[in-house]
Amino acid sequence: NDKVLFEANNTYSAYLYAKQASQVIQEHNPDEKPLFLYFPIQSVHNPNEVPDNYFQMYEGIVEDEKRRTLLAMITAMDDAAKVVVDSLKTKGIWENTVFIFFSDNGGPILGIGNGQTNYPLRGGKYSYWEGGVRSASFIHSPMLPPAGVNTQLLHVTDWLPTLTFLGACGVYGDEDKCSGPKLGDIDGSNQWGAIRGSRSSSRTEFLVNIDQDANNSALRWHQYKLYKGNPGNGAWGPPPRINA
C-alpha cells in the first residue's frame, strides 16, 4: 500500500520484513494456491547500520569498523532468514518448499565500500568484471537430494521461467512432458533441469549490459567475456582478514 508506517520508526528494517514475512506465511492457505514469497530485505546495503547486540558479537574478532558492521549486518540477515524458515516449518509447509538465496550483484569495493570484498573475483558493483556481476547463491529443499557446487551458466532472467515451471510442474517435473506457462518472447529460459542436475544448462551466452550513454558493454560467451569501452574499475579487493 501507499501508507507510511510511522509507528515503525527506529525499528531495524530486517525485523520489520521478517515479521511481515512470517505473518504472510501464517495467513497463507496452502489448500487454495501455492505461495511465492519474495523477501528482498535491505541487508546488506547502505546505510551501514546494525543493532548494537550484533555489532558486539564481533568485538575482538574484527578490528576494522566497516568490516565489523558488515558482518554484523549479515548475521542480522541470517536471523531474519531463520524467522522465515521457522515460520514455514511451523506452518507445516517447509517439506514442500524450495528455498532460494541469492544476491543481485557483487559488493562495492571502492569509494562507497562498506567493508565488502569479492575476493578472489576482480572488480565490484558498478563494473562488468566478475566481482560486480557474479554473485553467490544456494538452493535448499527437503525435496532435493544433497548436492555440491553447480558451475553451469545461468542468468538472472532465467528465474522467471524457472520458477513458473517449478510451480506448474513440480520439483521432479519432466521438461519433455510439462513445459509450464507460456511466457512469450522473453530473455530467460527454464533452468530447473540444470539446477537439479538432470540436464545441462541451455544457456551458452548472456548480455551483461549495454550502456549507450557511457558507450560500454559486455557479453559473456561460455567461459569468455567480451568488453567494449570501459568495463569499470577492475581492482582486486583484498581478501577478508581477522583482526585487521
Side-chain angles (χ1 to χ4, degrees), residues 11-213:
T11 303
Y12 197 57
S13 64
Y15 298 160
L16 291 174
Y17 296 145
K19 180 180 179 180
Q20 181 65 25
S22 179
Q23 180 178 336
V24 169
I25 293 169
Q26 296 308 316
E27 294 177 353
H28 172 67
N29 185 349
D31 294 327
E32 292 183 354
K33 58 182 178 180
L35 172 65
F36 173 75
L37 179 65
Y38 181 52
F39 186 58
I41 59 178
Q42 290 174 297
S43 305
V44 289
H45 200 281
N46 291 330
N48 303 328
E49 299 172 344
V50 70
D52 189 63
N53 60 304
Y54 287 105
F55 187 76
Q56 295 304 324
M57 289 181 182
Y58 294 92
E59 182 178 5
I61 300 176
V62 180
E63 294 180 3
D64 181 83
E65 188 167 318
K66 287 186 177 181
R67 182 72 180 169
R68 183 177 171 185
T69 301
L70 175 73
L71 297 179
M73 292 167 68
I74 293 173
T75 303
M77 177 184 65
D78 286 346
D79 282 353
K82 185 178 185 301
V83 170
V84 173
V85 172
D86 288 346
S87 298
L88 291 166
K89 291 179 178 179
T90 300
K91 185 67 175 180
I93 57 177
W94 173 249
E95 297 300 318
N96 193 38
T97 294
V98 176
F99 187 90
I100 303 172
F101 185 99
F102 70 98
S103 174
D104 55 351
N105 48 253
I109 59 172
L110 298 171
I112 64 169
N114 61 355
Q116 300 192 37
T117 175
N118 302 306
Y119 181 86
L121 302 180
R122 183 179 183 180
K125 186 177 181 178
Y126 309 115
S127 80
Y128 297 158
W129 301 105
E130 289 294 271
V133 300
R134 184 176 179 179
S135 63
S137 62
F138 72 83
I139 297 177
H140 174 79
S141 174
M143 297 178 286
L144 294 174
V149 177
N150 190 321
T151 60
Q152 299 196 63
L153 195 62
L154 282 82
H155 187 257
V156 65
T157 57
D158 296 332
W159 281 124
L160 174 59
T162 298
L163 293 178
T164 52
F165 170 85
L166 182 60
C169 305
V171 170
Y172 300 106
D174 187 340
E175 295 179 50
D176 295 325
K177 299 178 180 179
C178 181
S179 60
K182 303 299 182 182
L183 301 175
D185 186 17
I186 62 174
D187 293 326
S189 59
N190 172 30
Q191 298 283 13
W192 184 244
I195 290 174
R196 73 182 185 95
S198 61
R199 61 179 61 197
S200 298
S201 171
S202 61
R203 182 177 291 280
T204 59
E205 66 180 25
F206 63 76
L207 178 68
V208 176
N209 193 37
I210 295 178
D211 189 328
Q212 294 178 322
D213 293 330

